[in-house]
Short mmCIF file of all heavy atoms in Angstrom, two decimals:
data_model
loop_
_atom_site.label_atom_id
_atom_site.label_comp_id
_atom_site.label_asym_id
_atom_site.label_seq_id
_atom_site.Cartn_x
_atom_site.Cartn_y
_atom_site.Cartn_z
N ASP A 234 -10.31 -13.46 -59.93
CA ASP A 234 -11.33 -14.33 -59.33
C ASP A 234 -11.01 -14.57 -57.86
O ASP A 234 -11.91 -14.53 -57.00
CB ASP A 234 -11.40 -15.65 -60.09
CG ASP A 234 -12.58 -16.51 -59.66
OD1 ASP A 234 -13.66 -15.96 -59.42
OD2 ASP A 234 -12.41 -17.73 -59.55
N ALA A 235 -9.73 -14.79 -57.55
CA ALA A 235 -9.33 -15.01 -56.16
C ALA A 235 -9.60 -13.77 -55.32
O ALA A 235 -10.09 -13.88 -54.18
CB ALA A 235 -7.85 -15.39 -56.10
N ALA A 236 -9.30 -12.59 -55.87
CA ALA A 236 -9.53 -11.35 -55.13
C ALA A 236 -11.01 -11.15 -54.84
O ALA A 236 -11.40 -10.73 -53.74
CB ALA A 236 -8.99 -10.16 -55.93
N ILE A 237 -11.85 -11.47 -55.82
CA ILE A 237 -13.30 -11.34 -55.62
C ILE A 237 -13.78 -12.28 -54.51
O ILE A 237 -14.55 -11.89 -53.63
CB ILE A 237 -14.05 -11.63 -56.94
CG1 ILE A 237 -13.72 -10.55 -57.98
CG2 ILE A 237 -15.55 -11.72 -56.72
CD1 ILE A 237 -14.07 -10.93 -59.40
N LYS A 238 -13.32 -13.51 -54.55
CA LYS A 238 -13.72 -14.49 -53.53
C LYS A 238 -13.19 -14.10 -52.15
O LYS A 238 -13.89 -14.24 -51.14
CB LYS A 238 -13.24 -15.89 -53.92
CG LYS A 238 -14.01 -16.50 -55.09
CD LYS A 238 -13.51 -17.89 -55.41
CE LYS A 238 -14.44 -18.62 -56.38
NZ LYS A 238 -14.55 -17.96 -57.68
N LEU A 239 -11.95 -13.62 -52.09
CA LEU A 239 -11.39 -13.18 -50.81
C LEU A 239 -12.17 -11.98 -50.27
O LEU A 239 -12.42 -11.88 -49.07
CB LEU A 239 -9.91 -12.83 -50.97
CG LEU A 239 -8.97 -14.02 -51.14
CD1 LEU A 239 -7.59 -13.55 -51.57
CD2 LEU A 239 -8.87 -14.81 -49.84
N HIS A 240 -12.56 -11.08 -51.18
CA HIS A 240 -13.37 -9.92 -50.77
C HIS A 240 -14.70 -10.38 -50.17
O HIS A 240 -15.16 -9.85 -49.16
CB HIS A 240 -13.60 -9.02 -51.97
CG HIS A 240 -14.51 -7.86 -51.67
ND1 HIS A 240 -14.16 -6.83 -50.84
CD2 HIS A 240 -15.77 -7.57 -52.12
CE1 HIS A 240 -15.15 -5.96 -50.77
NE2 HIS A 240 -16.13 -6.38 -51.54
N GLN A 241 -15.31 -11.38 -50.80
CA GLN A 241 -16.58 -11.90 -50.28
C GLN A 241 -16.42 -12.52 -48.90
O GLN A 241 -17.35 -12.52 -48.09
CB GLN A 241 -17.14 -12.94 -51.26
CG GLN A 241 -17.59 -12.34 -52.60
CD GLN A 241 -17.90 -13.40 -53.63
OE1 GLN A 241 -17.41 -14.53 -53.56
NE2 GLN A 241 -18.71 -13.04 -54.63
N LEU A 242 -15.21 -13.03 -48.63
CA LEU A 242 -14.92 -13.62 -47.33
C LEU A 242 -14.44 -12.58 -46.31
O LEU A 242 -14.15 -12.92 -45.16
CB LEU A 242 -13.85 -14.70 -47.47
CG LEU A 242 -14.25 -15.95 -48.26
CD1 LEU A 242 -13.03 -16.82 -48.52
CD2 LEU A 242 -15.32 -16.74 -47.51
N GLY A 243 -14.34 -11.33 -46.76
CA GLY A 243 -13.88 -10.28 -45.88
C GLY A 243 -12.37 -10.28 -45.69
O GLY A 243 -11.87 -9.77 -44.68
N LEU A 244 -11.63 -10.84 -46.66
CA LEU A 244 -10.18 -10.94 -46.55
C LEU A 244 -9.50 -10.02 -47.56
O LEU A 244 -10.03 -9.76 -48.63
CB LEU A 244 -9.74 -12.39 -46.78
CG LEU A 244 -10.33 -13.43 -45.82
CD1 LEU A 244 -9.85 -14.83 -46.20
CD2 LEU A 244 -9.95 -13.11 -44.38
N ASP A 245 -8.32 -9.53 -47.18
CA ASP A 245 -7.58 -8.58 -48.00
C ASP A 245 -6.56 -9.33 -48.86
O ASP A 245 -5.59 -9.88 -48.34
CB ASP A 245 -6.86 -7.58 -47.08
CG ASP A 245 -6.17 -6.47 -47.86
OD1 ASP A 245 -6.14 -6.54 -49.11
OD2 ASP A 245 -5.65 -5.53 -47.22
N TRP A 246 -6.76 -9.33 -50.15
CA TRP A 246 -5.91 -10.07 -51.08
C TRP A 246 -4.58 -9.37 -51.35
O TRP A 246 -3.69 -9.95 -51.93
CB TRP A 246 -6.65 -10.25 -52.41
CG TRP A 246 -7.13 -8.96 -52.99
CD1 TRP A 246 -6.51 -8.16 -53.89
CD2 TRP A 246 -8.35 -8.28 -52.65
NE1 TRP A 246 -7.26 -7.04 -54.15
CE2 TRP A 246 -8.40 -7.08 -53.41
CE3 TRP A 246 -9.42 -8.56 -51.78
CZ2 TRP A 246 -9.46 -6.18 -53.32
CZ3 TRP A 246 -10.47 -7.66 -51.71
CH2 TRP A 246 -10.48 -6.50 -52.47
N SER A 247 -4.45 -8.11 -50.91
CA SER A 247 -3.24 -7.35 -51.24
C SER A 247 -2.20 -7.35 -50.13
O SER A 247 -1.18 -6.68 -50.24
CB SER A 247 -3.61 -5.90 -51.58
OG SER A 247 -4.04 -5.21 -50.42
N THR A 248 -2.45 -8.09 -49.05
CA THR A 248 -1.49 -8.16 -47.96
C THR A 248 -0.92 -9.57 -47.88
O THR A 248 -1.57 -10.54 -48.27
CB THR A 248 -2.15 -7.82 -46.61
OG1 THR A 248 -3.16 -8.78 -46.33
CG2 THR A 248 -2.77 -6.44 -46.65
N PRO A 249 0.29 -9.72 -47.36
CA PRO A 249 0.91 -11.04 -47.28
C PRO A 249 0.10 -12.05 -46.49
O PRO A 249 0.03 -13.22 -46.83
CB PRO A 249 2.26 -10.76 -46.61
CG PRO A 249 2.56 -9.34 -46.94
CD PRO A 249 1.23 -8.65 -46.96
N SER A 250 -0.55 -11.59 -45.42
CA SER A 250 -1.30 -12.52 -44.56
C SER A 250 -2.70 -12.79 -45.06
O SER A 250 -3.36 -13.73 -44.63
CB SER A 250 -1.37 -11.96 -43.13
OG SER A 250 -2.10 -10.74 -43.14
N HIS A 251 -3.20 -11.94 -46.00
CA HIS A 251 -4.58 -12.02 -46.47
C HIS A 251 -5.55 -12.03 -45.30
O HIS A 251 -6.51 -12.80 -45.26
CB HIS A 251 -4.79 -13.26 -47.35
CG HIS A 251 -3.92 -13.27 -48.56
ND1 HIS A 251 -3.29 -14.39 -49.03
CD2 HIS A 251 -3.52 -12.27 -49.40
CE1 HIS A 251 -2.56 -14.10 -50.10
NE2 HIS A 251 -2.69 -12.82 -50.34
N GLY A 252 -5.28 -11.12 -44.34
CA GLY A 252 -6.12 -11.01 -43.16
C GLY A 252 -7.38 -10.23 -43.44
O GLY A 252 -7.67 -9.86 -44.58
N PRO A 253 -8.17 -9.95 -42.39
CA PRO A 253 -9.46 -9.26 -42.56
C PRO A 253 -9.30 -7.88 -43.18
O PRO A 253 -8.34 -7.16 -42.90
CB PRO A 253 -9.99 -9.15 -41.12
CG PRO A 253 -9.27 -10.21 -40.37
CD PRO A 253 -7.92 -10.32 -40.99
N ILE A 254 -10.24 -7.53 -44.05
CA ILE A 254 -10.27 -6.20 -44.64
C ILE A 254 -10.78 -5.22 -43.60
O ILE A 254 -11.81 -5.46 -42.95
CB ILE A 254 -11.20 -6.16 -45.87
CG1 ILE A 254 -10.66 -7.08 -46.97
CG2 ILE A 254 -11.35 -4.74 -46.40
CD1 ILE A 254 -11.59 -7.22 -48.14
N ARG A 255 -10.06 -4.12 -43.42
CA ARG A 255 -10.50 -3.10 -42.46
C ARG A 255 -11.41 -2.07 -43.13
O ARG A 255 -12.38 -1.62 -42.58
CB ARG A 255 -9.29 -2.40 -41.84
CG ARG A 255 -8.44 -3.34 -40.98
CD ARG A 255 -7.12 -2.69 -40.63
NE ARG A 255 -6.34 -3.61 -39.81
CZ ARG A 255 -6.30 -3.58 -38.49
NH1 ARG A 255 -7.00 -2.68 -37.83
NH2 ARG A 255 -5.58 -4.44 -37.79
N SER A 256 -11.03 -1.67 -44.34
CA SER A 256 -11.81 -0.69 -45.08
C SER A 256 -11.31 -0.70 -46.51
O SER A 256 -10.22 -1.16 -46.77
CB SER A 256 -11.63 0.71 -44.48
OG SER A 256 -12.29 1.67 -45.28
N LEU A 257 -12.11 -0.18 -47.43
CA LEU A 257 -11.66 -0.15 -48.83
C LEU A 257 -11.95 1.22 -49.44
O LEU A 257 -12.53 1.33 -50.49
CB LEU A 257 -12.36 -1.24 -49.64
CG LEU A 257 -11.75 -2.64 -49.53
CD1 LEU A 257 -12.62 -3.63 -50.26
CD2 LEU A 257 -10.35 -2.67 -50.11
N ASN A 258 -11.53 2.28 -48.73
CA ASN A 258 -11.76 3.61 -49.29
C ASN A 258 -10.49 4.17 -49.92
O ASN A 258 -10.39 5.34 -50.19
CB ASN A 258 -12.28 4.57 -48.23
CG ASN A 258 -11.32 4.67 -47.05
OD1 ASN A 258 -10.30 4.01 -47.01
ND2 ASN A 258 -11.68 5.52 -46.08
N GLY A 259 -9.52 3.30 -50.17
CA GLY A 259 -8.28 3.72 -50.84
C GLY A 259 -8.14 2.96 -52.13
O GLY A 259 -9.12 2.53 -52.73
N ALA A 260 -6.92 2.72 -52.55
CA ALA A 260 -6.68 1.99 -53.79
C ALA A 260 -7.17 0.56 -53.66
O ALA A 260 -7.15 -0.03 -52.60
CB ALA A 260 -5.18 1.99 -54.13
N LEU A 261 -7.67 0.01 -54.76
CA LEU A 261 -8.19 -1.35 -54.76
C LEU A 261 -7.16 -2.32 -54.23
O LEU A 261 -6.01 -2.32 -54.63
CB LEU A 261 -8.56 -1.77 -56.19
CG LEU A 261 -9.07 -3.20 -56.35
CD1 LEU A 261 -10.33 -3.42 -55.56
CD2 LEU A 261 -9.30 -3.51 -57.81
N GLY A 262 -7.60 -3.15 -53.29
CA GLY A 262 -6.67 -4.11 -52.72
C GLY A 262 -5.73 -3.46 -51.74
O GLY A 262 -4.72 -4.04 -51.35
N TYR A 263 -6.08 -2.26 -51.28
CA TYR A 263 -5.19 -1.55 -50.36
C TYR A 263 -5.99 -1.22 -49.12
O TYR A 263 -6.83 -0.33 -49.12
CB TYR A 263 -4.67 -0.28 -51.02
CG TYR A 263 -3.68 0.45 -50.17
CD1 TYR A 263 -2.36 0.06 -50.15
CD2 TYR A 263 -4.07 1.51 -49.37
CE1 TYR A 263 -1.44 0.72 -49.36
CE2 TYR A 263 -3.17 2.16 -48.58
CZ TYR A 263 -1.86 1.77 -48.58
OH TYR A 263 -0.96 2.43 -47.79
N SER A 264 -5.78 -1.94 -48.04
CA SER A 264 -6.55 -1.74 -46.83
C SER A 264 -6.25 -0.39 -46.22
O SER A 264 -5.10 0.01 -46.10
CB SER A 264 -6.23 -2.83 -45.81
OG SER A 264 -6.66 -4.06 -46.27
N ARG A 265 -7.27 0.27 -45.82
CA ARG A 265 -7.10 1.55 -45.14
C ARG A 265 -8.06 1.56 -43.96
O ARG A 265 -9.15 1.04 -44.00
CB ARG A 265 -7.41 2.72 -46.07
CG ARG A 265 -6.61 2.71 -47.34
CD ARG A 265 -7.02 3.84 -48.24
NE ARG A 265 -6.65 5.12 -47.67
CZ ARG A 265 -5.44 5.66 -47.83
NH1 ARG A 265 -4.52 5.03 -48.49
NH2 ARG A 265 -5.16 6.84 -47.32
N ASN A 266 -7.67 2.22 -42.88
CA ASN A 266 -8.50 2.26 -41.69
C ASN A 266 -8.37 3.64 -41.08
O ASN A 266 -7.37 3.97 -40.46
CB ASN A 266 -8.03 1.18 -40.69
CG ASN A 266 -8.86 1.19 -39.42
OD1 ASN A 266 -9.89 1.86 -39.36
ND2 ASN A 266 -8.41 0.46 -38.42
N ALA A 267 -9.41 4.43 -41.28
CA ALA A 267 -9.34 5.81 -40.82
C ALA A 267 -9.14 5.90 -39.32
O ALA A 267 -8.57 6.87 -38.81
CB ALA A 267 -10.61 6.55 -41.23
N SER A 268 -9.61 4.91 -38.58
CA SER A 268 -9.48 4.95 -37.13
C SER A 268 -8.30 4.14 -36.64
O SER A 268 -8.18 3.85 -35.46
CB SER A 268 -10.76 4.41 -36.48
OG SER A 268 -10.97 3.06 -36.88
N MET A 269 -7.38 3.76 -37.54
CA MET A 269 -6.23 2.96 -37.16
C MET A 269 -5.40 3.70 -36.13
O MET A 269 -5.14 4.88 -36.26
CB MET A 269 -5.36 2.64 -38.38
CG MET A 269 -4.18 1.75 -38.06
SD MET A 269 -3.13 1.53 -39.51
CE MET A 269 -4.27 0.68 -40.57
N PRO A 270 -4.97 3.03 -35.07
CA PRO A 270 -4.15 3.69 -34.08
C PRO A 270 -2.80 4.06 -34.66
O PRO A 270 -2.42 3.61 -35.73
CB PRO A 270 -4.00 2.63 -32.99
CG PRO A 270 -4.19 1.32 -33.70
CD PRO A 270 -5.21 1.61 -34.75
N ASN A 271 -2.07 4.91 -33.93
CA ASN A 271 -0.74 5.26 -34.37
C ASN A 271 0.10 4.01 -34.53
O ASN A 271 -0.12 3.00 -33.88
CB ASN A 271 -0.08 6.21 -33.36
CG ASN A 271 -0.70 7.60 -33.39
OD1 ASN A 271 -1.35 7.95 -34.37
ND2 ASN A 271 -0.52 8.36 -32.33
N VAL A 272 1.11 4.12 -35.36
CA VAL A 272 1.94 2.97 -35.67
C VAL A 272 2.52 2.35 -34.42
O VAL A 272 2.62 1.15 -34.30
CB VAL A 272 3.08 3.39 -36.62
CG1 VAL A 272 4.07 2.26 -36.80
CG2 VAL A 272 2.52 3.81 -37.96
N GLY A 273 2.87 3.13 -33.44
CA GLY A 273 3.46 2.55 -32.24
C GLY A 273 3.34 3.47 -31.06
O GLY A 273 2.67 4.50 -31.08
N ALA A 274 3.99 3.09 -30.01
CA ALA A 274 3.95 3.88 -28.80
C ALA A 274 4.82 5.11 -28.95
O ALA A 274 5.61 5.24 -29.87
CB ALA A 274 4.42 3.04 -27.62
N SER A 275 4.69 6.04 -28.00
CA SER A 275 5.49 7.25 -28.06
C SER A 275 6.94 6.96 -27.76
O SER A 275 7.27 5.98 -27.10
CB SER A 275 4.94 8.27 -27.06
OG SER A 275 5.02 7.73 -25.75
N ASP A 276 7.83 7.84 -28.24
CA ASP A 276 9.24 7.65 -27.99
C ASP A 276 9.61 8.27 -26.65
O ASP A 276 8.76 8.68 -25.88
CB ASP A 276 10.08 8.24 -29.12
CG ASP A 276 9.92 9.75 -29.23
OD1 ASP A 276 9.29 10.34 -28.34
OD2 ASP A 276 10.43 10.33 -30.22
N ALA A 277 10.90 8.34 -26.39
CA ALA A 277 11.34 8.82 -25.08
C ALA A 277 10.91 10.26 -24.83
O ALA A 277 10.79 10.69 -23.69
CB ALA A 277 12.87 8.72 -24.99
N ASN A 278 10.68 11.01 -25.89
CA ASN A 278 10.26 12.41 -25.75
C ASN A 278 8.76 12.57 -25.87
O ASN A 278 8.26 13.68 -26.04
CB ASN A 278 10.95 13.25 -26.82
CG ASN A 278 12.46 13.24 -26.66
OD1 ASN A 278 12.95 13.32 -25.54
ND2 ASN A 278 13.19 13.14 -27.77
N ASN A 279 8.02 11.41 -25.83
CA ASN A 279 6.56 11.43 -25.94
C ASN A 279 6.08 12.03 -27.25
O ASN A 279 5.04 12.67 -27.33
CB ASN A 279 5.94 12.20 -24.77
CG ASN A 279 6.17 11.49 -23.45
OD1 ASN A 279 6.10 10.26 -23.38
ND2 ASN A 279 6.46 12.26 -22.40
N ASN A 280 6.86 11.82 -28.33
CA ASN A 280 6.45 12.26 -29.66
C ASN A 280 5.81 11.09 -30.38
O ASN A 280 6.48 10.13 -30.70
CB ASN A 280 7.65 12.77 -30.45
CG ASN A 280 8.22 14.04 -29.86
OD1 ASN A 280 7.48 14.89 -29.40
ND2 ASN A 280 9.55 14.16 -29.86
#
Side-chain angles (χ1 to χ4, degrees):
D234 189 39
I237 294 164
K238 288 181 169 62
L239 287 168
H240 176 68
Q241 292 170 337
L242 294 170
L244 301 177
D245 186 353
W246 54 94
S247 70
T248 63
S250 63
H251 300 139
I254 296 174
R255 294 169 180 264
S256 175
L257 278 174
N258 58 358
L261 177 61
Y263 184 82
S264 294
R265 305 177 68 85
N266 180 11
S268 61
M269 183 185 296
N271 288 341
V272 172
S275 61
D276 64 8
N278 297 319
N279 294 321
N280 293 322

